[in-house]
Amino acid sequence: MAAASAEITRSGDLRVVELTAGTWPLFERLLGPTGLQGGCWCAFFRMPGRQFRAAGAADRKAHVHDAVRAGKPLGLLGILDDEPVAWVAVSPRLDNPRLATSRVAASSDGDAAGVWAVTCFYVHRRARGRGLASRMLAAATRQAFARGARVVEGYPVEAKEKRAAGELYHGTVDMFAAAGFDLVARRDTRRALMRIPAP
């Protein structure tokens, strides 16, 4: 299934496209009928906590789909051999109200204007072990800066010990560091706030 959108970048055999109304079918295909993680549909950060908890999977999917149809940036899809295999959520921090109430994601300077957030990664099991998350992070950072971000930040997990794939959807500290992000603060023994300024 080819993506109905202009390619953003290519990294070796990985083609990266933005999630748009035209590529929405690829997003549905990648996340599958359940929308991952109990029907999240990558709405967790985009909806206030109470609203997210009250919504079912169908409402969360509709919320995200409405944002896509409105032209809001939500993230990027990674395509291999015309099949969607990877996702990274990257969008303005202000479009993610859950971040405003998160202890881990508390802003380091109090000014969210111009800050973009990388909140979630997903790589399909058939494509894991190929470094796709790192390539998606690089593409997300470039895309955010191209859209005018002054800073891109993430909230990765410390992965010195082996963790299940389901625990790594924030990305890892080492992965963000390798992409040029600076460690701003450790928020507990497992999570960190990391940032990279616009070049």
Side-chain angles (χ1 to χ4, degrees), residues 5 35 48 70 80-81 89 96 108-109 136 147 161-162 180 186:
S5 176
L80 288 176
D81 300 323
N96 295 275
S108 63
D109 61 13
M136 294 300 291
R147 290 288 195 95
E161 299 175 1
K162 186 171 179 60
R186 290 195 180 277

Side-chain angles (χ1 to χ4, degrees), residues 42-48 73-74 89-101 115-119 155:
C42 217
F44 182 82
F45 293 101
R46 301 191 65 85
M47 301 172 79
L74 273 81
V90 57
S91 60
R93 181 183 168 100
L94 291 172
D95 288 349
N96 295 275
R98 182 73 69 97
L99 295 178
T101 59
V115 178
W116 281 50
V118 177
T119 55
Y155 322 99

Side-chain angles (χ1 to χ4, degrees), residues 8-26:
I8 287 185
T9 188
R10 184 177 287 270
S11 174
D13 54 350
L14 181 72
R15 188 161 55 93
V16 180
V17 299
E18 187 171 11
L19 176 59
T20 63
T23 59
W24 176 262
L26 294 176

